[in-house]
Amino acid sequence: MFDLTGRRALVTGAGHGIGAAIAVALAEHGADVVVHHGRSADRAAAVVERIAGLGRRVLAVGGDVTDTAEVDRFVGEATQYLGGLDILVCNAGHLVGRVAVADMSDEHFARVTDVNLTATFRTVRAALPALRASGAGRVVTMASLAAHNGGGPGAVAYSAAKAGVIGLTKGLAKELAPDRITVNALAPGYIGDTDFHATFSTPERRAATVAALPVGRGGTAAEVAAAAVYLVSAEAGFVTGATVDIDGGASPR
């Protein structure tokens, strides 16, 4: 079992779904955690309660990841509360909506890029001083199967943004390696126990997606969280610039 005792973590978009699962998993392995949320304060409070029950220090912070001042504020609050920062998981992101290119406005494309790609850049930049001071910082970004296969109908902007997250991750890994900071991406596919697919895909499309998976089932948020725990562990110190696909064999390469 990976030991994260004494490690200090901030997870963005951790009020529900994959982010919540990652926050809880980090705490289960010994980390103290700040749970960031956008508009899910009530759900974040439930995550905080669960982590507190594990005996870990925990705090919820809200903030808009598309606003630089907000990001700087909540990263600062997290760092101050924890007394430093060793782990940053940039999970916050959103499909926003399915829109065909012919119908897509500049504003929609920019919004999707902002909340997925630029927000990741902002958050890493804000956390860099604390991660450098850690001496063994870990950053995990959130890509997607869509970055590899272009996504489903109406997801061109999302797939482009998530492909950008992979490029950002590789560039950061090189730039931050001298600071002993590793940077890796997770690329989930169909994770069936989150709101994402229920919100943006019909039941028929979800069933077809699962039927086409080589493993014959959808994934779980806990399985994504397990990969995150490994990437932030001491054992993964030689792993950086990688993208870990968690997609049931949907994108063999």
Side-chain angles (χ1 to χ4, degrees), residues 220-239:
T220 67
E223 289 173 313
V224 182
V229 168
Y230 167 67
L231 290 176
V232 304
S233 70
E235 288 82 353
F238 196 61
V239 181

Side-chain angles (χ1 to χ4, degrees), residues 25 73 75 85 149 157 166 178 185 207 212 248 252:
R73 175 190 56 74
V75 170
L85 193 65
N149 69 6
I166 292 177

Side-chain angles (χ1 to χ4, degrees), residues 162-241:
K162 289 301 189 180
V165 169
I166 292 177
L168 177 66
T169 299
K170 292 181 179 297
L172 287 170
K174 289 183 176 182
E175 184 169 319
L176 302 183
D179 296 308
R180 297 181 61 199
I181 299 170
T182 66
V183 189
N184 294 287
L186 298 174
Y190 184 89
I191 306 302
D193 60 349
T194 69
D195 297 339
F196 184 95
H197 293 283
T199 301
F200 294 108
S201 300
T202 65
E204 294 77 15
R205 182 166 186 81
R206 296 200 299 272
T209 298
V210 172
L213 291 173
V215 300
R217 67 171 179 86
T220 67
E223 289 173 313
V224 182
V229 168
Y230 167 67
L231 290 176
V232 304
S233 70
E235 288 82 353
F238 196 61
V239 181
T240 194

